[in-house]
Amino acid sequence: MRTQTSREASSVQDQKPRVLVVDDEPALSDLVSMALRYEGWETQIASNGTDALAAIREFAPDVLVLDIMMPGLDGLEVLQRLRAEGDGVPVLFLTARDSMQDRLTGLDIGGDDYVTKPFSLDELVARVHALARRSSNKVQVVDSSVLRVGDLSLDQDSFEVRRGEEVIGLTSTELEVLRVLMENPSRVVTKAAIYESVWHGEFDGSSTVVELNISYLRKKIEGAKPTMIRTVRGVGYMIRPASDD
């Protein structure tokens, strides 16, 4: 679970959302920081993993923009340490790596989203805003109801997800993808609809971020248990009780 101490308190007091940009290329981190400041963010920069960990504790960012490939402590190691400490700050990876395995590794250890270098500044800013909205929703009371599909439940007050009696830990992005599916039980939800609901952008048909998050949802929710999330080839996804054929 994401810690809700200094980070939430600082956001309420300062009004401006906070973002920490971590990259060993000063020109790139300055550019990203400038773009986000222009959009109303309070920004801070770190040039390596060690400095990033110290800045996270002092600055308490609402979103972390984190380069993967850095000398010394790389982005993946930084995130592993944060998650081991129970810090659930949303993380957007910056990566020059474009292989599916690298993306899966980043999401597997608790990353929320990624942008592959070279990237559009407009896209990066939009994704940072989307992560902040999802993170904010996790600590506010949005709805008193509980979504249920079979033995799977999503409490919209606490954002606790259970399969039977088992509590399942999800990233903020995975949680939002699951919510979209559970709000439409036994109905096919297109990839475009999921993308537009979660990432608030127009789906161009080429992004794999929906497939990656569905893959991790399946691993966490299903594991060795009966299947709930089904793929409708060429269309999208559907969630329904495991007993339904």
Side-chain angles (χ1 to χ4, degrees), residues 175-195:
L175 187 98
E176 289 303 311
V177 173
L178 180 61
R179 188 216 293 270
V180 173
L181 294 176
M182 292 185 72
E183 286 176 341
N184 299 277
S186 299
R187 285 185 282 179
V188 178
V189 184
T190 66
K191 291 180 183 179
I194 295 172
Y195 188 89

Side-chain angles (χ1 to χ4, degrees), residues 74-104:
D74 67 23
L76 296 176
E77 293 174 297
V78 169
L79 182 57
Q80 285 175 319
R81 294 193 184 190
L82 289 175
R83 296 301 186 246
E85 294 171 0
D87 192 325
V89 57
V91 172
L92 173 70
F93 275 125
L94 298 181
T95 176
R97 304 172 177 178
D98 59 2
S99 76
M100 181 67 73
Q101 187 54 51
D102 289 324
R103 298 176 191 181
L104 288 172

